[in-house]
Amino acid sequence: MPGKLSRGLSVIHKCSDPSSSLYCSALQFVDSDLKYIGTTAPPRYQCLENAVMENIATGCTVIFGEELRQLFLEAEATKMHMHDWWLYLLASAFGNVVFDPEHLVLYRRHQDTVTGLQLKSSRTLMARLKGFWGFIFNTRQLYGLSQAVIFGKTYDSRLSPEQQKLFSQLHRLHEFNHLWDRINFAARSSVLFNDKLDNFAVRLLVLLGKY
């Protein structure tokens, strides 16, 4: 949409360190005839604890600085589940994330589209319960965990001790999946989804050994 790039650049240049900042914005969903469907729900969390679990930075909306670009190039592209998600991980771990609630991109959503993006207008209880069961049976969530483990290994020497602790917990869960690791994760992990039901769902899946 008009003004997307200029607005994004203006926002990112206002950051304390534009070079390590990531800008992303909300989306306006349209159907195959470009008729309005809804907009993305603004995220409650924009942090590493969220980035290891889900992505809020849709690729067609992002603008990022040179430092993030250099860090991105250090990784093997074939090991990334989603490139925009990897950028969100980088900015959350080593920089700054700015989410613009202004929807500056039209995102065509077909009837059979499978996407984790949530519409602001679909936050009814029934819609959220439907999303909960979709989460439970969506094996794509496993890719998020494996990607987080690879990310932790790739940038381990750059991570803070607290960040290393988070990735170590995810690594143990992914590689060994012992009962105690699952209980410890469900009870004490700091990971965050933007939807409370998803937070419950992932802990349930972990306890059941399904994540």
Side-chain angles (χ1 to χ4, degrees), residues 129-150:
L129 287 174
K130 183 179 179 181
F132 170 79
W133 288 113
F135 184 103
I136 290 289
F137 294 107
N138 184 2
T139 57
R140 292 174 66 215
Q141 298 297 339
L142 296 172
Y143 298 132
L145 178 58
S146 61
Q147 176 175 251
V149 170
I150 294 170

Side-chain angles (χ1 to χ4, degrees), residues 67-86:
E67 185 176 333
L68 291 185
R69 188 182 78 89
Q70 292 296 333
L71 288 169
F72 184 86
L73 293 175
E74 290 181 13
E76 295 182 43
T78 55
K79 293 185 177 180
M80 302 176 189
H81 172 45
M82 295 171 64
H83 297 84
D84 48 7
W85 194 345
W86 195 275

Side-chain angles (χ1 to χ4, degrees), residues 42-95:
R44 297 167 61 217
Y45 305 111
Q46 299 165 212
C47 56
L48 184 60
E49 290 79 7
N50 173 248
V52 296
M53 291 284 104
E54 64 180 346
N55 181 36
I56 66 166
T58 308
C60 57
T61 74
V62 302
I63 298 173
F64 53 95
E66 176 62 20
E67 185 176 333
L68 291 185
R69 188 182 78 89
Q70 292 296 333
L71 288 169
F72 184 86
L73 293 175
E74 290 181 13
E76 295 182 43
T78 55
K79 293 185 177 180
M80 302 176 189
H81 172 45
M82 295 171 64
H83 297 84
D84 48 7
W85 194 345
W86 195 275
L87 282 167
Y88 177 39
L89 281 162
L90 281 172
S92 299
F94 308 118

Side-chain angles (χ1 to χ4, degrees), residues 162-178:
E162 193 64 27
Q163 291 172 336
Q164 288 177 336
K165 182 179 178 181
L166 171 63
F167 283 103
S168 176
Q169 183 185 53
L170 295 175
H171 172 75
R172 289 185 59 83
L173 186 65
H174 184 257
E175 297 295 330
F176 305 110
N177 200 22
H178 294 153

Side-chain angles (χ1 to χ4, degrees), residues 169 181-189 202-204 206-207:
Q169 183 185 53
D181 292 324
R182 301 203 305 268
I183 293 173
N184 186 51
F185 178 93
R188 303 176 62 183
S189 178
V202 71
R203 285 161 174 80
L204 176 61
V206 166
L207 283 174

